[in-house]
Amino acid sequence: MNGRVIAIDGPAGAGKSSVARAVAERLGWSFLDTGAMYRAVTFFALDHGIDLSDDESLEKVAVGLSISITERVVINGRDVTAEIRTPEVNSKVSSVAACSAIRRALVEQQRIFASEQAHGTVVEGRDITTVVFPDAEVKVFLTASLEERAKRRGDESAASVAARDEADASRVDSPLSVGEGVTILDTTNMPLDQVVDEVVACLRK
Ligand code: DC
């Protein structure tokens, strides 16, 4: 049991996953991609024909949900690592992420995960610095220009990235925002190693 946390938030394509994974590797900590959890629930709901605008149905999905995120993403025993990155999931995940019952269930799992890691966890998402771990040792908000973020997303268009950011930043429950005590890093022209250095330096301050 440890519970040390580096929390990283930011819009789509800001480099959160690459940075969080590399920071975790450098420190020998665990890494948690919380976006993959929202994606897994979205895929599961779509696959079960659940109406994504119906909060009651989504709440039923949230109850008893088992998600395992390691190198693979597994939901209720099914490996959905590839399925959670499709354009359909890209376009629907923000509406599932706006459902409070889903957020409650996933936030609880995120806190349990971090409490169980031997050395610490680098957690990335949209509400990690503001809601999930507001007392994290290090809190970072990564951003980059829309053009750069769309480029990093590869097969996702700038319009799709921008639409998701707008939905994530304007929802009522835990919107993407810059919280208190957060270090903002604009990574538009920064190589990955430099971003990793800066995040690790925050831990040593
Ligand atoms: O990081 P990503 O693009 O894989 O995240 C997918 C979606 O999940 C994103 O549109 C917003 C949502 N999300 C969230 O609401 N809260 C988080 N902590 C992580 C992701």
Side-chain angles (χ1 to χ4, degrees):
M1 287 283 216
N2 187 287
R4 295 182 72 183
V5 167
I6 292 177
I8 301 179
D9 284 325
K16 299 184 299 294
S17 290
S18 310
V19 170
R21 195 185 294 275
V23 169
E25 214 161 90
R26 200 182 284 184
L27 296 171
W29 288 19
S30 303
F31 157 62
L32 184 61
D33 171 359
T34 62
M37 300 172 81
Y38 289 93
R39 288 172 176 276
V41 175
T42 304
F43 173 76
F44 183 89
L46 287 169
D47 196 51
H48 285 74
I50 289 158
D51 176 359
L52 302 187
S53 63
D54 176 359
D55 274 13
E56 253 175 54
S57 301
L58 283 177
E59 190 160 2
K60 283 186 195 140
V61 171
V63 175
L65 205 66
S66 156
I67 306 182
S68 155
I69 308 259
T70 52
E71 281 306 303
R72 315 293 303 174
V73 179
V74 177
I75 186 162
N76 286 4
R78 177 167 174 196
D79 188 324
V80 296
T81 312
E83 288 90 339
I84 65 170
R85 306 281 168 196
T86 62
E88 187 178 21
V89 172
N90 284 343
S91 68
K92 304 276 169 60
V93 63
S94 287
S95 84
V96 172
C99 172
S100 294
I102 297 286
R103 300 202 72 83
R104 269 195 305 277
L106 296 189
V107 167
E108 190 188 346
Q109 290 199 22
Q110 290 154 17
R111 289 181 176 144
I112 291 171
F113 180 95
S115 76
E116 289 175 340
Q117 304 310 303
H119 300 291
T121 311
V122 186
V123 188
E124 63 95 346
R126 301 296 189 290
D127 61 343
I128 310 305
T129 60
T130 53
V131 174
V132 189
F133 296 110
D135 299 325
E137 270 179 79
V138 172
K139 296 189 285 184
V140 174
F141 189 95
L142 290 187
T143 189
S145 68
L146 176 61
E147 194 189 10
E148 177 63 24
R149 292 188 292 107
K151 210 191 294 170
R152 290 179 191 168
R153 276 288 149 131
D155 51 1
E156 190 175 1
S157 69
S160 168
V161 169
R164 216 138 54 78
D165 288 346
E166 168 59 22
D168 294 335
S170 61
R171 68 177 175 233
V172 175
D173 192 346
S174 314
L176 172 67
S177 65
V178 181
E180 264 177 48
V182 171
T183 301
I184 300 173
L185 289 178
D186 185 332
T187 70
T188 307
N189 296 308
M190 277 167 85
L192 177 64
D193 269 359
Q194 189 186 344
V195 185
V196 174
D197 286 346
E198 297 221 7
V199 175
V200 171
C202 290
L203 190 63
R204 310 230 151 98
K205 269 180 195 154

